[in-house]
Amino acid sequence: MDVLKFSGLERSLILQAMSETSFDLLVIGGGITGAGIALDAATRGMKTALVEMQDFAGGTSSRSTKLIHGGLRYLKQGEFKQVAEVGRERAIVYENGPHVTKSEWMLLPIYQGGTLGRWSTSFGLWLYDRLAGVKRSERRKMLTVEEVLEKEPLLNKTALLGGGYYVEYRTDDARLTLEVIKEAVTQGALAVNYTKVDSFIYSKGQITGVRVTDQLSRQEYFISAKKVVNAAGPWVDLIREKDGSRGGKTIQWTKGVHLVFDQRRFPLRQAIYFDTFDGRMVFAIPRDGKTYVGTTDTIFQGDPMRPRMEKEDRVYLLGAISGTFPGLYITEEDIESSWAGIRPLIAQAGKKPSEVSRRDEIWSSPSGLLTVAGGKLTGYRKMAELVVGRIPGEWRTCQTRNLPISGGKVGGSASFLQYVEETAKASGFSSEWANQIVRQYGSNAEVIFPLARELTGEEESLPTELLAILEYSIREEMAVTPADFFVRRTGALYFRRKWVEVWKQPVADYMAKRFDWSLEEKEKHVADLNQCLQETILAVGEVP
Ligand code: FAD
């Protein structure tokens, strides 16, 4: 197999190469689950391909709460083994990619009559620290009322009893997914976005490949593979239907919505996990000059392709905010952005959406199709190890435990800050921009800086800083539309909306030149981005 770059400009070459290769493994789905499986398989020596029908992370993996959880929720459900495993995995995810995952102290306010008691919280967090192997510097602290209010003065003071303080890890879900796929490609896998699996090819009842359609050119391809893994998240049952093997356990969809506010309107200092009026818990997290709050958890029956906020979701979250932050008087006018995601949970009869287990399972069909059901961002590496371990053949053992993901070659998490400082300084660019680039892209900043030098003065309508990351996302991260850039490559749709408004047209003009789009194609891409912008502030059924 020739070495092909992970470039948006080489998509059709990649698809051509895929159709001419016989793979050991083909993965359906470019969310975090499929990404992890492709990386694990490629590093064990399997010839691996991955196809994604939207953009990478276009499904649930760009629509989560963006936390690498330590598994506190499992403790509540008495699943101790799970807490220990999730705790170990969290440390590995962080170590292998400190540029996309960072520790974040989380405050659990305790109120009279709330779901959390002072002693049960103290004991629960203590137990959690031990089970999850939390490092000493990150072990829980219990706080007095004064200490809680010092950390977050916006909290409701009435009936406040104190708080628990523990560490969660915050990530950028879409970038985590991309970095894992990029590493899989570095390790020899081929991966392509906007390529949909339409049907399976069989020989003697066993799957031997798939028929796919390139969603951009509408061209059809056949890809041969000895084994196919269905990592299609909310769509896994639809894939099983194509295989005629949907039976037994199934997936239940629940929707989760997050709202985003500007820090000037919701100046949250401290990440908080708080009780809601109906006994659930919701996160409020400060990030990049914004505060985001979520999530809801309701049964979903619509089209999982573009889930959106509904009026009820907005009312619920605004109600939760006003209960815990009563002095803010936040209203729907203050919402700057939002996103909604669909959880692919394994159906459990008689349980409320928030009670359904978040565990994952592997289902095998008579045709040899392996389906990954359920799962979390946090456990992606371990899940991949289990799935790939079930693929017959003489392969290396799992290699991903100590393998940095793309951008993670920074000398380990302990050296990351020093790496940022030194690399930014050596770049010769303004320290603010250079620091931001190294923090976000890790060791791949060493590709972006030369690109910025190469492109200086080339394109007058875009500043070099923006041009460098745009060109990087095209050449090295397979961005092929303005929405790929503004939503999954930079997260700007949710956290830098004004920046999107200012730059959307020049970015579309530049991409039109790079991809040779007709005027009509360019306008279609801009219209799509405009629709994304609208959908983040309007609930379903509302018109601008
Ligand atoms: P997806 O990301 O949906 O990927 C599946 C992909 O398959 C999709 O991109 C889809 O386009 C593709 N696909 C489907 N059909 C086809 C086809 N025919 N051909 C080609 N491709 C196809 N987890 C955490 O660990 N921490 C959190 O903080 C957290 N918060 C969450 C909050 C919310 C609101 C939600 C909804 C989930 C949250 N999760 C969290 C769970 C986590 O986000 C998901 O479990 C995870 O992202 C699922 O990844 P996936 O790859 O299985 O699915």
Side-chain angles (χ1 to χ4, degrees), residues 28-34 51-54 58-61 63-67 69 195-197 231-235 239 256 258 295 341-344 375-378:
I28 306 173
I32 191 63
T33 308
V51 289
E52 163 56 55
M53 70 174 174
Q54 311 177 64
T60 306
S61 297
R63 300 158 178 277
S64 76
T65 308
K66 308 183 192 304
L67 292 173
H69 290 297
T195 299
K196 182 176 182 183
V197 170
W235 293 265
I239 298 283
H258 291 83
T295 168
I342 305 299
R343 296 179 189 84
K376 306 277 290 172
L377 288 170
T378 315

Side-chain angles (χ1 to χ4, degrees), residues 460-533:
E460 280 161 16
S461 59
L462 290 168
T464 306
E465 287 79 2
L466 195 164
L467 189 55
I469 55 168
L470 174 58
E471 185 62 26
Y472 177 78
S473 75
I474 294 171
R475 281 196 218 174
E476 309 276 344
E477 300 189 322
M478 208 177 274
V480 290
T481 73
D484 296 346
F485 177 68
F486 285 117
V487 187
R488 269 85 46 188
R489 304 301 177 287
T490 59
L493 183 78
Y494 309 127
F495 297 105
R496 277 193 291 161
R497 198 187 167 81
K498 291 209 177 89
W499 190 74
V500 182
E501 296 280 7
V502 171
W503 294 111
K504 62 185 182 186
Q505 193 60 52
V507 163
D509 291 341
Y510 182 79
M511 291 185 91
K513 273 193 257 166
R514 293 298 272 133
F515 290 102
D516 213 8
W517 291 335
S518 64
L519 185 62
E520 198 188 350
E521 281 173 306
K522 182 171 78 176
E523 281 172 357
K524 191 182 135 295
H525 288 304
V526 174
D528 182 52
L529 182 59
N530 282 334
Q531 194 184 337
C532 292
L533 279 161

